[in-house]
Amino acid sequence: MKKFAFLLVLFVFCLSVSAQNYSIERYLNIRSAGSPTFSPDGKRIAFLTNITGTNQIWFIEANGGYPEQITAYDDNISFVEWLPDNKGLIFGKAIGGNENTQFFHLSNDGAEIKQLTNDEKTRHNFGAISKDGNSIFYTSNKRDKNWFDVYKMEISSGKEEMLLQNDSSNSVAAVSDDGTRIVVSRSSVRFSLDNDLYIFDDKTKQTRHLTPHDEATQYGDVHFLPDNKTLVFGTNDKREFYNLAEMSLKGSTYPTVTEIADKIRVIDKTDWDLDASTVSPHSDFFAYTTNREGFSELFLRSIETGGKPLISNVETKIEQITLPAKGIASSLEFSDDGTKLAFTFSGAKYNTDIWIYDLQTKKLTQITKSSRSGIPQDSFVEPELIKYKSFDGKEVSAWFYKPTQKAVSESRVRYWKSISQNISISYTPSANTEKDIQILDRPDEIISTIQQLPVIVSVHGGPEGQERPGFNPLYQYYLSRGYAILATNVRGSTGYGKTFAHLDDVEKREDSVKDLASAVEWLKTSGGADSKRIAVMGGSYGGYMTMAAVTLYPDLFAAAVNTVGIVNWESFLKNTSGYRRRQREVEYGMLDKDIDFLRRISPIAKVDKIKTPLFVIHGKNDPRVPYTEAEQVVKALKDRNAIVEYKLYDDEGHGISKLKNRLDLYPRVADFLDKYMK
């Protein structure tokens, strides 16, 4: 017994002096850069980076160098696009996270800014720029807050023209080179994950349905090819996966339904989803990524001149571009001369930065080098893709991040110190050494407990989304503290086929929560988890999943963190932005038909079952999930003296994005987890 106690104390001491941690503030100050757009001459790139604490516009030379800050707002810039012919740039910005984006024109040198739209109660969704750079196309709910109509604006004068009025949620998907034909995407009110494409002719003012279908189907990533009569796009029409396809409009600008059935042809038949795509300005090349098990694969495809369809061109050259590592490529953008392709790249060990691929030299170059706040890149952890069986035998995928041995050792030191407050362990050589040692009767059980991992189960939002292995500074911080993370893709997630994405629709909602319970079982049997130290957290729909988990399975979790989550389906659907309600009802259930069901599955209806300590986070300007959702559950828990912490930010919306607020919030969350995950 004396030898055991001495070695254990020595072990704890050695770990204490050898392990090293970086503060959460340093992790939160890791920067990112994205949304690249080339200047017309290809010599500069405008991009967004959060160096100042919010995403702002910066310029950098296309061959690298020191970036120059252009905008300096308190709120995030949502997008930036360079106009052709040195006519400046267009960018968008909302206030305080309210998502009512307004448009601005920025001069070519970045010196002058002119506001193009100025209605803080109206949302504008950017669509496209005319080829001559004189106009922008977009949708807006200016006429009716429940619907989005199609608009065109002349940039120089600010003159706005409504092109298409329609009581639906419309978005601009593509515009022909001459600006007369606009492909409009319209969200369905029949199914979730369902939309249609329409083509509107500005000359004749006619609109024709391009994609009639009978089951939930998605269409997107739309581009006109050189002949302006061929469309390339993504679809999962009569397919499990969202693949690259084309449609020929030859012979008629407005094909009949019979013609359409023969005109959609799949180009890239894979069991993975198309993820991002772009066409070069001169329509020589088409670049796109596929999402293979969460990782991006980037391809470059030549386009036959003369409008020859892609699928019929057997000589089409397809090149796969080797990415810097396993990760996610997005925001694809060609230079105007088509010789360079810019994109953003993020991986578990790579914070998001901009890279350029030279089509002539085949060279890949990193253009921005965002700060890692002095934290060594090799300290970051990459996840393992795991799959487990859920309650009904369905296979569910998740990313399992295991902390480094150093982080685990430090975590064990902290855990040992926490449990040893009531256990005195000492070694002082004397004649009666047995009296010098006091320890529990079951030292092997203590060691076994210390060796087990505390785990955070993370649930993404959506539910039409996917947890992918990009860079997450909060994950890396928790890993450095010795927590393992299981980032789940429960049923309802995208990326695993159409059938899987619809397994949680309406009455099947709580089946996805059962997937979380099965995840916990996997953690205990195969993941080395300490069953008494498992937490659950998520944002938006992931916040609902968090709340559902702690009400349906009140004994599974040691702590829970709900960020901008739904707790009451009835009040959420009544109070969310009008344009979102009908879209959300086809996924969650209709207020007029499913009200009893919605009330029954609402976490607020089962709030008395919550035993888990809960941290609730919300932004007061949230237009999607109103902050009153948070207020409901916090009040209910406080009324019964349950453990709940609450943080509301007046200048945030659907999530906490500003650095100053993140620096305030996440140390609190870390302390909360440490407190209840002992």
Side-chain angles (χ1 to χ4, degrees), residues 39-41 82-88 108 130-134 336:
S39 62
D41 61 8
W82 220 303
L83 298 167
D85 298 330
N86 294 316
K87 293 178 180 177
N108 211 46
S130 63
K131 189 166 182 122
D132 60 14
N134 292 328
D336 275 14

Coordinates of all heavy atoms in Angstrom, one line a residue, residues 39-41 82-88 108 130-134 336:
S39 N -9.9 40.8 -58.1 CA -10.1 42.1 -58.9 C -10.1 41.8 -60.4 O -9.6 40.7 -60.8 CB -8.9 43.1 -58.6 OG -7.7 42.5 -59.0
P40 N -10.7 42.6 -61.2 CA -10.8 42.4 -62.6 C -9.5 42.1 -63.3 O -9.4 41.2 -64.2 CB -11.5 43.6 -63.2 CG -12.3 44.2 -62.0 CD -11.4 43.9 -60.8
D41 N -8.4 42.7 -62.9 CA -7.1 42.4 -63.5 C -6.4 41.2 -62.9 O -5.3 40.9 -63.3 CB -6.2 43.7 -63.4 CG -5.9 44.1 -62.0 OD1 -6.3 43.4 -61.0 OD2 -5.3 45.2 -61.8
W82 N -16.3 41.3 -56.2 CA -15.7 42.4 -57.1 C -16.5 42.5 -58.4 O -16.9 41.5 -59.0 CB -14.3 42.0 -57.4 CG -13.4 43.3 -57.4 CD1 -13.6 44.4 -58.1 CD2 -12.2 43.5 -56.6 NE1 -12.6 45.3 -57.8 CE2 -11.7 44.8 -56.8 CE3 -11.5 42.7 -55.6 CZ2 -10.6 45.3 -56.2 CZ3 -10.4 43.2 -55.0 CH2 -9.9 44.5 -55.3
L83 N -16.8 43.7 -58.8 CA -17.5 43.9 -60.0 C -16.6 43.9 -61.2 O -15.4 44.2 -61.1 CB -18.2 45.3 -60.0 CG -19.3 45.5 -58.9 CD1 -19.7 47.0 -58.8 CD2 -20.5 44.6 -59.2
P84 N -17.1 43.6 -62.4 CA -16.2 43.6 -63.6 C -15.8 45.0 -64.0 O -16.4 46.0 -63.5 CB -17.1 43.0 -64.7 CG -18.2 42.3 -64.0 CD -18.4 43.1 -62.7
D85 N -14.8 45.1 -64.8 CA -14.3 46.4 -65.4 C -14.0 47.5 -64.4 O -14.3 48.7 -64.6 CB -15.4 46.9 -66.4 CG -15.7 46.0 -67.5 OD1 -14.7 45.3 -67.9 OD2 -16.8 45.9 -68.0
N86 N -13.4 47.1 -63.3 CA -13.0 48.1 -62.3 C -14.1 49.0 -61.8 O -13.9 50.2 -61.5 CB -11.8 48.9 -62.8 CG -10.6 48.1 -63.1 OD1 -10.2 47.3 -62.2 ND2 -9.9 48.3 -64.2
K87 N -15.3 48.4 -61.7 CA -16.4 49.2 -61.2 C -16.7 49.1 -59.7 O -17.7 49.6 -59.2 CB -17.7 48.8 -62.0 CG -17.6 49.1 -63.5 CD -18.8 48.7 -64.2 CE -18.7 49.0 -65.7 NZ -19.8 48.5 -66.5
G88 N -15.7 48.6 -59.0 CA -15.8 48.5 -57.6 C -16.2 47.2 -57.0 O -16.1 46.1 -57.7
N108 N -13.2 51.0 -56.1 CA -12.2 50.0 -56.5 C -10.9 50.1 -55.6 O -10.2 49.1 -55.3 CB -11.7 50.3 -57.9 CG -11.3 49.0 -58.6 OD1 -12.0 48.0 -58.5 ND2 -10.2 49.1 -59.3
S130 N -24.6 41.3 -63.0 CA -24.7 41.2 -64.5 C -23.2 41.2 -65.1 O -22.3 41.7 -64.4 CB -25.4 42.4 -65.0 OG -24.7 43.7 -64.7
K131 N -23.1 40.6 -66.2 CA -21.8 40.4 -66.8 C -21.1 41.7 -67.1 O -19.8 41.8 -67.0 CB -21.9 39.6 -68.1 CG -20.5 39.2 -68.6 CD -20.6 38.1 -69.7 CE -19.2 37.7 -70.2 NZ -18.9 36.3 -70.0
D132 N -21.9 42.8 -67.4 CA -21.2 44.1 -67.6 C -20.9 44.9 -66.3 O -20.4 45.9 -66.4 CB -22.1 44.9 -68.5 CG -23.5 45.2 -68.0 OD1 -23.7 45.0 -66.8 OD2 -24.4 45.6 -68.8
G133 N -21.4 44.3 -65.2 CA -21.1 44.9 -63.9 C -21.9 46.1 -63.6 O -21.7 46.8 -62.6
N134 N -23.0 46.4 -64.4 CA -23.8 47.6 -64.1 C -24.9 47.3 -63.1 O -25.5 48.2 -62.5 CB -24.4 48.1 -65.4 CG -23.3 48.6 -66.4 OD1 -22.3 49.2 -65.9 ND2 -23.5 48.5 -67.7
D336 N -10.6 36.5 -63.5 CA -11.3 36.9 -64.8 C -10.7 36.3 -66.0 O -11.4 36.0 -67.0 CB -11.3 38.4 -64.9 CG -12.5 39.0 -64.1 OD1 -13.1 38.3 -63.3 OD2 -12.8 40.2 -64.4

